[in-house]
Amino acid sequence: MPQGAGSETILAKVSELLFVEAVRRYAESLPEDQTGWLAGLKDPYVARALALLHARLSKAWSVGELGRRVGLSRSALADRFNQVIGLPPMQYLTQWRMQFAAQELRHSNKSIMQVALEVGYDSEAAFARAFKRVMGKPPVTWRRQSAGTAAG
C-alpha cells in the first residue's frame, strides 16, 4: 500500500481508471442487438448525447439541441437513440430524472421542490405528475414508503 503525500488520491484515481476500463471493456463485449444505456456507450453519437443528459440533468433539453451538440439532425439522433437505447431520448431523460429523484427522496432531507428543481422541473405539481407516471407513486408516498424499507 503506497504511503506518503497524495497516496490516497493516487489510489482513488487508479481505482477510478480501473473501473472505467472494466465498464468500457464490458460495453464493447455486449452483443450487437443489446439495448440500454450501456450499449449506448458503443455508439459515439448516442454516447455523447448520454453524457450531455447525465451531466446537465436539470437542463430543458430538446432532441434538436442534443442533435446539434452531437453532430446529427434531430430525427437522425432520435432514430439512433431509440434503436440503441430502446427508448426515445426524452423518454430516457424522464426515466433517468425520476430514478435520480427517487434516490434523492430516499437518501436526503431535501424538499420535494428542491428535488424537482434538481431534475429540471420548475413546478412541484408537474414533477409529482411525472414522478407518479414513471415510479407508480407520488413523491411523498415514495419517500415515506422507501424510508420505511430503508430502516427495516
Side-chain angles (χ1 to χ4, degrees):
M1 181 85 73
Q3 295 179 345
S7 61
E8 287 183 31
T9 302
I10 291 168
L11 284 174
K13 291 297 180 187
V14 169
S15 297
E16 187 178 311
L17 287 170
L18 288 172
F19 175 75
V20 168
E21 181 63 16
V23 170
R24 187 184 67 74
R25 287 181 184 232
Y26 178 76
E28 286 175 354
S29 73
L30 292 173
E32 288 301 316
D33 61 345
Q34 180 76 35
T35 60
W37 74 268
L38 203 50
L41 299 179
K42 291 171 65 173
D43 182 289
Y45 296 102
V46 173
R48 282 193 302 243
L50 286 169
L52 289 167
L53 294 173
H54 285 244
R56 303 231 7 236
L57 192 58
S58 65
K59 181 173 174 42
W61 289 107
S62 70
V63 180
E65 182 176 358
L66 272 175
R68 282 190 298 281
R69 297 255 191 124
V70 303
L72 290 175
S73 70
R74 183 197 64 74
S75 60
L77 177 63
D79 290 346
R80 197 170 189 138
F81 200 99
N82 198 24
Q83 181 180 17
V84 173
I85 301 295
L87 296 169
M90 295 302 101
Q91 188 176 343
Y92 173 86
L93 177 60
T94 299
Q95 288 191 0
W96 175 243
R97 284 174 168 171
M98 295 309 119
Q99 291 298 320
F100 181 89
Q103 290 304 308
E104 288 296 297
L105 291 168
R106 183 178 202 166
H107 298 293
S108 79
N109 293 321
K110 295 175 184 171
S111 71
I112 302 290
M113 189 63 207
Q114 285 174 306
V115 174
L117 290 169
E118 284 184 20
V119 296
Y121 289 83
D122 293 332
S123 152
E124 189 173 329
F127 168 70
R129 284 190 302 275
F131 191 91
K132 184 176 181 183
R133 185 177 64 250
V134 173
M135 304 303 288
K137 300 173 186 166
V140 172
T141 305
W142 173 269
R143 172 174 266 167
R144 185 175 58 248
Q145 290 178 347
S146 65
T149 59

